[in-house]
Amino acid sequence: MASLTAWHNEVQRTLNGALPTQFGPADTLPTEGGSVAQCCVLWPTTGTEQSRNGSPVHQRTDSVLAVFVGATVLDALAAVGKGRKALEGARLTASTRNGGRVREGGFTGAQPIPEPGTDPVRVSLSIQFDAISKEPR
């Protein structure tokens, strides 16, 4: 099995094709004309591993929290759309040979909110993405 870091790097490369993406914490973000550009800040998680006694299959869930950012609510929502399009259903193979399809794992219908004390102003919305992969032991 490849490293967990490899999976998170694959998520970053996949998203980077749609919008600038970096790992958090991110004190500086890309700007356009004095405003923050649409981008994504990734916060990796450890994910989970499971195998049942006597089961020939090992299951792994890799997760990442993606914070989509823009200068306005509409920009943040546009960044979310670009990220969803890039990740949803993608098969990432860095952590396991067969890989797992990425799905949205944690979105509660929240609205993008302004981040306090940022200059330039930035608005963000967080979504968790997961990939579940199974492989023989």
Side-chain angles (χ1 to χ4, degrees), residues 42-114:
L42 296 177
W43 292 90
T45 68
T46 59
T48 58
E49 293 192 43
Q50 293 179 338
S51 65
R52 295 194 177 124
N53 292 339
S55 173
V57 175
H58 174 256
Q59 178 175 305
R60 172 168 187 79
T61 303
D62 293 312
S63 300
V64 66
L65 183 64
V67 181
F68 294 98
V69 181
T72 65
V73 168
L74 292 178
D75 282 336
L77 289 173
V80 167
K82 291 175 183 179
R84 281 179 168 154
K85 185 175 180 181
L87 283 179
E88 195 69 34
R91 184 174 293 279
L92 304 182
T93 59
S95 61
T96 62
R97 180 176 59 252
N98 297 326
R101 290 209 184 276
V102 177
R103 63 180 170 80
E104 202 169 293
F107 176 70
T108 59
Q111 298 297 314
I113 57 168

Side-chain angles (χ1 to χ4, degrees), residues 9-68:
N9 287 334
E10 189 174 9
V11 169
Q12 182 189 28
R13 283 190 306 275
T14 301
L15 278 171
N16 227 1
L19 71 164
T21 303
Q22 60 189 347
F23 288 106
D27 294 328
T28 59
L29 295 175
T31 59
E32 292 176 355
S35 296
V36 70
Q38 294 174 10
C39 60
C40 181
V41 178
L42 296 177
W43 292 90
T45 68
T46 59
T48 58
E49 293 192 43
Q50 293 179 338
S51 65
R52 295 194 177 124
N53 292 339
S55 173
V57 175
H58 174 256
Q59 178 175 305
R60 172 168 187 79
T61 303
D62 293 312
S63 300
V64 66
L65 183 64
V67 181
F68 294 98

